[in-house]
Amino acid sequence: MSLINANYLNLPGSYLFSEIARRVREFSAANPERKLIRLGIGDVTSPLPPSVIKALHKAVDEQALNEGFRGYGPEQGYDFLRAAIVRDAYQGLDIEADEVFVSDGAKCDIGNFQELFAGSCKVAITDPVYPVYADSNVMAGRAGPMGDDGRFTGLIYLPCTADNNFVPDLPGERPDMIYLCYPNNPTGSVLNKEQLKRWVDYAGENDSVLFFDAAYESFIAEDGIPRSVYEIDGAKEVAVEFRSYSKSAGFTGLRCGFAVVPKSVRGKAPRKGGGMNAVPLHQLWMRRQTTKYNGCPYIVQRAAEAVHSPEGGAECAATIAGYMRNAGRIRQGFVDLGLTVSGGINAPYVWVRLPEGMDSWGFFDSLLRGAGIVGTPGAGFGPSGEGYFRLTGFGNAADTAEAMERLKTFQM
Ligand code: MLT
């Protein structure tokens, strides 16, 4: 037998959403007559926009022709998509098309990007947090074992609770790598420009790199909330940004996202003879992707290109408006029950504070049994998520309305 990467043994038994799926499967098998309303994992329910479908058909038809057939594509994405992204999403922000790396989704990019850094780097995550940031660093050996308090002993936690309005304080100890997700999954909170600038400045002053997950930027409704970290001065020197078509355009099954890696963001490596050399992350990420990845499929990239067309953009906006109506309805439903909620205004997630003393997995089970509603227990996102519960606006409108009706008669 060969030695395994024992860091994997430090992980929780299963990935959060796999554990939820398992519990739901068991419940459904025992109660086949119950109609469940699934507002747990943030998976979209509306079909792909017509412009996307049209682009997919066209790209598929091209594959039947000698002159249209495509084999291996550029690992970092076709020029047509990289140019469309910069034109549509980064206008005026001084991002070059060759700083955009197209991929099969933000989850993979975020999980993989940490590979560019030394095992000894200190990592800061918000708490609660999208589990991929923590788990991928556990696998890489940066997090160490989990302590009795439910925290990995090697990670720096930045608690985000109702007490600080879900806005993390700067860390007391210097991290090398900082993960931020805004609009936030799971709390649905946002940072204004001033709040995000504090983080960009902190990263600059402390030689840290910022991983900015902007997967939910298209859900921002209010003015003054940055959609990209590059709206902040200095971010091009310290931040890598991740974006996804999953929630904004319904690509959870199709798979496409991208990372923006400005050439000016650098790490360091020991120089022969002493001292340190600065190394652009762009160069390393290019080397990593060309070695381990063969690129997002051509037909999917054509579909993503359509999202950046005026018609595609308008179709996506209409779908997003529907999800946000759901989120607003969920938010109101919990407010009417007298509970404190965050999110549902600039993000598709509604984060509910449970009544005092109620634990989040216990609430998950009783909501499933009592009302047939699937949500996500806050504790699954980290210890500071205990006592909270997340529901998503990604269900269809009728199911969401029915869930809120069921909630009215549900005994907490
Ligand atoms: C979530 O529910 O948090 C997301 O759907 C997970 C993901 O995007 O991978």
Side-chain angles (χ1 to χ4, degrees):
M1 282 191 291
S2 306
L3 269 180
I4 56 152
N5 175 356
N7 296 317
Y8 274 65
L9 304 179
N10 289 331
L11 289 165
S14 52
Y15 183 62
L16 170 61
F17 293 106
S18 315
E19 172 60 18
I20 290 174
R22 187 190 66 75
R23 291 188 188 211
V24 172
R25 254 193 328 272
E26 269 180 27
F27 179 83
S28 286
N31 303 276
E33 74 297 342
R34 282 303 287 281
K35 183 197 165 202
L36 296 185
I37 300 179
R38 293 165 198 268
L39 304 176
I41 189 167
D43 195 3
V44 293
T45 49
S46 293
L48 289 164
S51 304
V52 167
I53 294 294
K54 201 166 134 200
L56 279 170
H57 280 299
K58 182 163 177 283
V60 168
D61 287 343
E62 285 175 34
Q63 303 313 300
L65 305 172
N66 280 331
E67 58 278 20
F69 172 73
R70 307 283 178 136
Y72 289 126
E75 296 87 347
Q76 59 279 12
Y78 283 98
D79 287 345
F80 63 79
L81 179 55
R82 299 170 98 191
I85 290 168
V86 168
R87 199 174 49 241
D88 186 39
Y90 291 98
Q91 208 170 52
L93 297 184
D94 197 22
I95 296 294
E96 304 289 335
D98 69 352
E99 293 175 316
V100 175
F101 291 77
V102 177
S103 71
D104 59 354
K107 180 179 181 179
C108 314
D109 284 347
I110 291 167
N112 292 331
F113 211 89
Q114 50 74 31
E115 274 183 44
L116 307 191
F117 294 85
S120 56
C121 282
K122 283 298 272 189
V123 175
I125 54 165
T126 56
D127 172 24
V129 75
Y130 177 44
V132 174
Y133 315 153
D135 286 4
S136 56
N137 280 291
V138 174
M139 292 169 178
R142 291 189 196 91
M146 190 176 274
D148 294 339
D149 60 356
R151 293 181 162 81
F152 289 103
T153 49
L155 295 181
I156 300 170
Y157 285 82
L158 309 166
C160 297
T161 61
D163 298 338
N164 59 6
N165 213 10
F166 306 101
V167 174
D169 292 331
L170 295 173
E173 175 191 356
R174 177 196 164 267
D176 298 283
M177 300 150 66
I178 302 166
Y179 289 82
L180 292 181
C181 171
Y182 287 98
N184 188 256
N185 178 15
T187 65
S189 60
V190 286
L191 293 187
N192 62 30
K193 284 201 172 155
E194 200 181 307
Q195 289 165 326
L196 184 54
K197 182 157 174 23
R198 284 182 75 212
W199 283 96
V200 170
D201 291 349
Y202 177 88
E205 285 154 19
N206 289 279
D207 243 337
S208 312
V209 62
L210 213 55
F211 299 133
F212 191 75
D213 182 350
Y216 300 96
E217 59 77 32
S218 51
F219 294 84
I220 294 173
E222 293 181 323
D223 292 336
I225 314 283
R227 289 169 182 269
S228 165
V229 70
Y230 304 116
E231 290 177 38
I232 309 297
D233 281 346
K236 266 196 79 179
E237 275 61 54
V238 298
V240 174
E241 178 162 296
F242 302 95
R243 289 222 193 166
S244 164
Y245 294 92
S246 287
K247 319 295 160 92
S248 57
F251 278 46
T252 50
L254 208 52
R255 308 303 310 151
C256 193
F258 58 89
V260 179
V261 190
K263 295 188 194 98
S264 39
V265 186
R266 298 180 304 175
K268 63 184 177 190
R271 184 189 303 140
K272 277 196 195 107
M276 289 283 176
N277 273 334
V279 184
L281 299 188
H282 185 277
Q283 170 192 323
L284 301 184
W285 187 240
M286 175 75 91
R287 190 68 177 83
R288 193 262 174 216
Q289 291 298 78
T290 49
T291 303
K292 295 195 178 181
Y293 183 54
N294 263 334
C296 177
Y298 171 75
I299 58 173
V300 176
Q301 292 193 53
R302 282 295 185 197
E305 182 190 26
V307 171
H308 297 287
S309 69
E311 307 75 44
E315 290 159 7
C316 291
T319 304
I320 287 170
Y323 292 144
M324 290 309 290
R325 275 194 295 277
N326 292 342
R329 180 171 267 156
I330 296 170
R331 189 184 158 89
Q332 193 56 47
F334 281 99
V335 168
D336 291 347
L337 291 177
L339 297 177
T340 305
V341 292
S342 149
I345 295 172
N346 294 297
Y349 297 119
V350 179
W351 186 245
V352 183
R353 190 175 198 170
L354 298 173
E356 199 60 38
M358 196 174 277
D359 84 283
S360 62
W361 277 107
F363 184 73
F364 170 87
D365 287 328
S366 66
L367 192 66
L368 180 62
R369 279 196 306 269
I373 300 171
V374 182
T376 308
F381 295 100
S384 296
E386 185 51 281
Y388 291 86
F389 199 73
R390 192 194 80 174
L391 290 168
T392 93
F394 289 119
N396 72 46
D399 282 353
T400 306
E402 187 182 332
M404 291 304 104
E405 282 307 310
R406 291 185 191 181
L407 198 68
K408 282 184 192 160
T409 52
F410 172 68
Q411 294 298 317
M412 289 247 177

